[in-house]
Every structure is written in C-alpha cells, then in structure tokens.
C-alpha cells in the first residue's frame, strides 16, 4: 500500500505543490493548514510520515513536533520539518526536537520527495545490519544501541545513523556529500547542508567522551573514524 504523508503547511500554494509532487510519486496525501488541525488529524490515525512547516499560525511547527514526540502513540512518527530560513536549521537541530530531517525553503519538490523516501526507508529497515565495534565504540543497529567502553550512550536518530556510517567505513574518509546522501538522503550538497554534517559531528563527538578523538576531521574533505 502506498505510504501516507500528512502535509502541514498554511500557505496553500506550497501545500498544493508538495501534495502534487508526492501524489505524482505514488504517495497518498492528507493535509492540515495549521498546527491544531494537524494534531487533531493525528489523533484520528497515523500517517507514515509528516511534512511539517515550522512557521504556522497558532501552534507552530516546533510545538507540534514537541507534542508528537511527547505522546507515546505518535513519538516514533517520522517528521520532515520545513524551515523558512537557513539560520533556523541550527535552531531546529539545537533544540533536538527529534525531527528526522529538515529542508530550508525554498526547496526543490524533487529534493523533498527524495527526502521523504529516505526517511521512510530508514523508518522501515528492510534488513537488520550487523553489530559493529571499533576500538571502545560499539553500535548495535538491531537494538539501536551505542556504547563507549561498555557505557551506554544516548544518540539522536541522525547522530546514530552518522556514527553507523562512520563505523561501517572505519579507516576510510567519508566526504560530507557521501554522509549527506547516506544519512540524510540528499541528492546534492550546498553550504548549508554541509554545515548540517559538521553540526551533527560536533554533537556526536561531545557524546562519545574519550572516544571523540576517533572521529578525525579531514580538512576540506570530510570525516574518518580512526581504527587506532
Ligand atoms: Ca508557513
């Protein structure tokens, strides 16, 4: 059955554009024009994913996201946040509201469709990847668990995916473009998106304690997880 996407956007033109492209790509769509409507809609049944505009009249996108994550019945719902300005990206990331992805306006509808597919693919893994361990860092995809020297570490879904990619390629340099594609599903990378990787790497390092030095920055290229 086609995946269902709830599109929450108050501007009719943008809402219609998103629905048009998603529908054309085989998704079923439902819409809400504001945060209250979105929350009411979610109480009636869950879509597979929500595309959520940050700037909404009344209850804004951040608050909708917060409430969705706080409610156990909707906590795992994949959310892609739409932000109006590039500098809001840091705010959204910094607040760690748990949006699975975000896209700055103006965005290409093709890019949005690609992101929707990438987030859904991650939300419904087709295979269970094997556990990985490099030095003191262990990651078990099946349990979504990470530990450093036996101590459990809490990571956001993006930080987890990022560490997963780095560990799986331990000893090799991964470019920002590769990480953006692998972890975020981006088809291409611009300045803002590259910064997204850096922001997440910084947060990931800060959670790894002594093992943070294992993530080496390869200037102008990307990152490498050191085996030694
Ligand atoms: Ca808006």
């Amino acid at each position: 059955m086609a995946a269902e996407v709830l599109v929450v956007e108050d501007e009719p033109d943008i809402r219609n554009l998103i629905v048009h492209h998603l529908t054309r790509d085989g998704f079923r769509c439902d819409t809400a024009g504001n945060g209250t409507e979105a929350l009411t809609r979610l109480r009636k049944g869950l879509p597979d994913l929500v595309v959520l505009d940050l700037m909404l009249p009344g209850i804004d996108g951040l608050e909708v996201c917060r409430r969705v994550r706080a409610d156990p019945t909707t906590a795992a719902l994949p959310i892609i946040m739409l932000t109006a300005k590039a500098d809001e990206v840091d705010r959204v990331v910094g607040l760690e509201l748990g949006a699975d992805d975000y896209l700055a306006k103006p965005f290409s509808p093709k890019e949005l469709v690609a992101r929707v597919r990438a987030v859904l693919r991650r939300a419904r893994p087709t295979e269970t990847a094997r556990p990985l361990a490099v030095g003191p860092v262990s990651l078990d995809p099946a349990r979504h668990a990470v530990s450093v020297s036996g101590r459990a570490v809490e990571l956001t879904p993006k930080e987890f995916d990022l560490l997963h990619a780095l560990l799986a390629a331990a000893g090799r340099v991964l470019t920002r473009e590769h990480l953006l594609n692998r972890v975020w599903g981006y088809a291409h990378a611009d300045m803002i998106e590259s910064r997204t990787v850096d922001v997440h790497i910084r947060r990931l390092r800060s959670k790894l304690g002594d093992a943070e030095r294992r993530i080496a920055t390869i200037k102008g290229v990307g990152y490498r997880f050191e085996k030694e």
Side-chain angles (χ1 to χ4, degrees), residues 8-11 14 33 53-57 82 84 105:
V8 188
E9 165 65 79
D10 57 312
E11 290 159 73
I14 300 177
D53 187 33
L54 179 63
M55 296 296 289
L56 294 168
L82 301 177
K105 290 179 180 176

Side-chain angles (χ1 to χ4, degrees), residues 4-61:
E4 188 183 2
V5 179
L6 174 63
V7 179
V8 188
E9 165 65 79
D10 57 312
E11 290 159 73
D13 287 353
I14 300 177
R15 194 171 62 225
N16 292 339
L17 181 78
I18 295 171
V19 168
H20 171 77
H21 282 269
L22 286 173
T23 307
R24 207 178 56 178
D25 253 67
F27 293 97
R28 289 177 298 133
C29 290
D30 200 354
T31 60
N34 59 57
T36 309
E37 222 179 274
L39 292 167
T40 305
R41 166 63 185 76
L42 291 175
R43 276 192 288 272
K44 289 180 191 153
L46 295 186
D48 295 289
L49 181 144
V50 180
V51 173
L52 178 62
D53 187 33
L54 179 63
M55 296 296 289
L56 294 168
I59 302 172
D60 72 6

